[in-house]
């Protein structure tokens, strides 16, 4: 009887092993079949990003989609949503919107507003500078220089614009540039250009941007993000605007460069820039003027995190650097990572902390 029972148990085990082998074989065959037939896994990546990153990130995304098909086995749809960087962050923190990647024109927004609840790392990857851009049809275009720009903008028949400081770093950088101009030229440029035309004002060297920005005259135009003003200048509806140099070059606009003491480009002048600050009504935060540095992160609660990190790795590689430079934007090489930098991107960044 014992022998019979032993044989029965052995038979059951053998049958179980065969069954399990068949099931495993079917899965394996199906996987092999998918690979053989070139089937791709469909996926979506959502990116909230600064308006000034629209052109380079569009090119990065197109290149990544081809790379993902050929090397990762993914057919990726990339949904990129441009806005001012402050608004891009607030979509996550205040509005509860979901994204995989957040890329901003002021990297400090990430440690200030996204760490630690929404992410635990960020990477510094690009730089820029503020210029004043215009078109051939802009009033006094042929007179505009790096020395007399504030006099041209002050003329009664001239209009100029900048983005909303409460939503966009280019906006708060633009008004800080005009405050730094007070120090550089020894003239009340901020009062003439900003305080007379808006409800933005200064208390000493600190600028106050009320939550609700109001315009007092038709001389100044303010839009949510800097790239919203580009079409107005191109059409002749607006004479001049403060914008990043990369955007002016991407749109073939004329522009004048500002003195290095006020254009927020030079790292060697960081302490000089910090003499000026701005308090934003939208966040209550006070931000010091500093050299322009872009930052990017992958949010930690996203279900698409693995693919998002592949995207970030691609963007931070030499290919991404090449694409940014083709779009006239200086790339930090190597990019600099802070926080709990994921293993997936460590070979592309210099980890600082």
């Amino acid at each position: 009887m014992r022998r019979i029972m032993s044989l029965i148990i052995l038979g059951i085990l053998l049958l179980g092993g065969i069954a399990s082998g068949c099931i495993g074989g079917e899965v394996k065959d199906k996987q092999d079949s998918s690979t053989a037939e070139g089937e791709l896994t469909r996926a979506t990546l959502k990116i909230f990003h600064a308006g000034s990153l629209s052109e380079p990130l569009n090119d990065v995304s197109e290149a990544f989609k081809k790379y993902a098909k050929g090397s990762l086995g993914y057919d990726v749809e990339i949904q990129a949503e441009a806005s001012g960087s402050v608004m891009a962050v607030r979509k996550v923190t205040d509005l509860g919107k979901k994204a995989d990647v957040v890329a901003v024109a002021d990297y400090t927004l990430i440690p200030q507003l996204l760490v630690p609840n929404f992410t635990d790392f960020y990477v510094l990857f690009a730089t820029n500078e503020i210029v004043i851009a215009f078109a051939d049809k802009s009033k006094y275009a042929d007179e505009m220089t790096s020395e007399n720009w504030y006099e041209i903008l002050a003329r009664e028949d001239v209009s100029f614009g900048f983005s909303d400081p409460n939503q966009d770093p280019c906006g708060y950088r633009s008004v800080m540039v005009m405050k730094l101009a007070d120090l550089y030229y020894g003239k009340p440029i901020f009062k003439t250009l900003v305080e007379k035309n808006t409800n933005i004002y200064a208390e000493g060297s600190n600028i106050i941007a009320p939550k609700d920005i109001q315009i007092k005259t038709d001389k100044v135009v303010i839009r949510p993000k800097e790239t919203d003003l580009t079409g107005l200048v191109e059409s002749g509806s607006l004479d001049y605007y403060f914008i990043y140099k990369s955007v002016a070059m991407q749109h073939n606009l004329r522009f004048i460069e500002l003195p290095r003491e006020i254009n927020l480009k030079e790292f060697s002048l960081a302490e000089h820039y910090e003499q000026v600050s701005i308090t934003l009504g939208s966040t209550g935060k006070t931000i010091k003027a500093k050299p322009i540095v872009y930052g990017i992160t992958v949010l930690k609660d996203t279900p698409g995190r693995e693919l998002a990190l592949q995207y970030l790795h691609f963007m931070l590689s030499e290919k991404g650097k090449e694409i940014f430079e083709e779009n006239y934007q200086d790339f930090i090489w190597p990019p600099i990572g802070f926080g709990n930098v994921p293993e997936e991107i460590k070979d592309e960044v210099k980890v600082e902390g």
Side-chain angles (χ1 to χ4, degrees):
M1 178 64 72
R2 286 182 181 176
R3 179 175 175 81
I4 293 171
M5 289 299 296
S6 298
L7 288 172
I8 292 171
I9 293 169
L10 179 61
I12 292 171
L13 290 173
L14 286 172
L15 286 170
I18 292 168
S20 119
C22 289
I23 294 170
E26 288 175 3
V27 172
K28 186 174 186 299
D29 289 344
K30 185 175 182 180
Q31 290 173 337
D32 289 344
S33 173
S34 297
T35 303
E37 294 174 7
E39 292 180 7
L40 299 172
T41 301
R42 292 187 178 181
T44 301
L45 282 181
K46 190 155 192 175
I47 304 173
F48 293 161
H49 66 83
S52 59
L53 290 173
S54 294
E55 297 290 335
L57 281 189
N58 179 67
D59 291 350
V60 167
S61 295
E62 289 303 313
F64 177 75
K65 287 193 288 186
K66 293 178 183 177
Y67 168 74
K69 283 183 178 180
S71 301
L72 302 178
Y74 279 95
D75 180 8
V76 185
E77 177 189 357
I78 297 178
Q79 300 175 352
E81 202 171 291
S83 66
S85 293
V86 177
M87 180 53 65
V89 170
R90 292 184 66 201
K91 286 176 185 177
V92 176
T93 60
D94 297 358
L95 303 180
K97 292 189 174 182
K98 299 298 181 182
D100 301 294
V101 178
V102 177
V104 293
D106 182 352
Y107 81 90
T108 64
L109 294 172
I110 299 175
Q112 283 184 355
L113 302 174
L114 290 177
V115 174
N117 293 334
F118 302 94
T119 190
D120 56 5
F121 83 97
Y122 54 97
V123 179
L124 284 53
F125 68 93
T127 64
N128 224 316
E129 67 180 279
I130 298 291
V131 301
I132 300 174
F134 53 101
D136 289 337
K137 61 187 73 175
S138 299
K139 295 184 182 71
Y140 312 110
D142 292 335
E143 296 180 36
M144 187 69 157
T145 71
S146 297
E147 289 75 38
N148 70 359
W149 61 271
Y150 56 91
E151 295 174 348
I152 298 292
L153 296 187
R155 292 180 181 177
E156 289 187 7
D157 58 340
V158 170
S159 62
F160 70 93
F162 51 87
S163 55
D164 185 347
N166 282 310
Q167 298 190 50
D168 186 35
C170 192
Y172 59 69
R173 285 168 172 155
S174 297
V175 295
M176 288 195 287
V177 160
M178 286 182 267
K179 191 61 183 172
L180 282 167
D182 284 4
L183 304 177
Y184 181 74
Y185 296 101
K187 298 180 179 180
I189 293 169
F190 181 86
K191 181 177 181 179
T192 301
L193 298 180
V194 180
E195 289 188 345
K196 284 187 177 180
N197 296 298
T198 74
N199 65 339
I200 301 170
Y201 64 97
E203 293 179 343
S205 60
N206 184 55
I207 301 163
I208 309 298
K211 187 174 182 179
D212 296 316
I213 302 293
Q214 297 176 7
I215 298 172
K216 300 177 182 178
T217 71
D218 58 5
K219 182 178 182 62
V220 170
V221 175
I222 299 176
R223 291 290 184 269
K225 61 181 184 294
E226 72 285 293
T227 49
D228 292 339
L229 297 163
T230 302
L232 298 180
V233 172
E234 290 174 328
S235 69
S237 301
L238 183 67
D239 293 313
Y240 300 90
Y241 75 134
F242 289 82
I243 189 62
Y244 296 119
K245 182 178 179 179
S246 64
V247 177
M249 296 182 73
Q250 289 160 12
H251 290 271
N252 297 311
L253 289 169
R254 295 173 63 180
F255 63 90
I256 56 109
E257 293 183 333
L258 297 167
R260 59 196 297 269
E261 289 82 1
I262 69 175
N263 66 8
L264 302 181
K265 176 185 179 181
E266 302 292 337
F267 285 89
S268 62
L269 294 173
E271 290 187 9
H272 170 75
Y273 297 150
E274 285 183 355
Q275 295 178 86
V276 170
S277 59
I278 186 168
T279 300
L280 304 179
S282 59
T283 64
K285 300 284 187 180
T286 296
I287 300 170
K288 289 184 177 181
K290 63 182 74 67
I292 297 168
V293 180
Y294 288 69
I296 190 167
T297 190
V298 171
L299 299 182
K300 62 184 181 183
D301 63 346
T302 170
R305 182 177 173 84
E306 181 180 344
L307 187 59
L309 287 171
Q310 291 282 358
Y311 178 92
L312 187 54
H313 185 278
F314 183 85
M315 196 204 83
L316 299 175
S317 70
E318 288 195 24
K319 180 61 177 177
K321 175 177 180 286
E322 177 186 322
I323 291 172
F324 268 79
E325 290 177 346
E326 287 172 353
N327 282 277
Y328 310 106
Q329 188 151 11
D330 292 336
F331 206 79
I332 295 173
W333 194 254
I336 303 170
F338 291 87
N340 187 24
V341 178
E343 291 294 331
E344 292 90 337
I345 65 168
K346 277 188 176 178
D347 61 339
E348 295 294 349
V349 306
K350 178 182 179 183
V351 179
E352 289 289 355

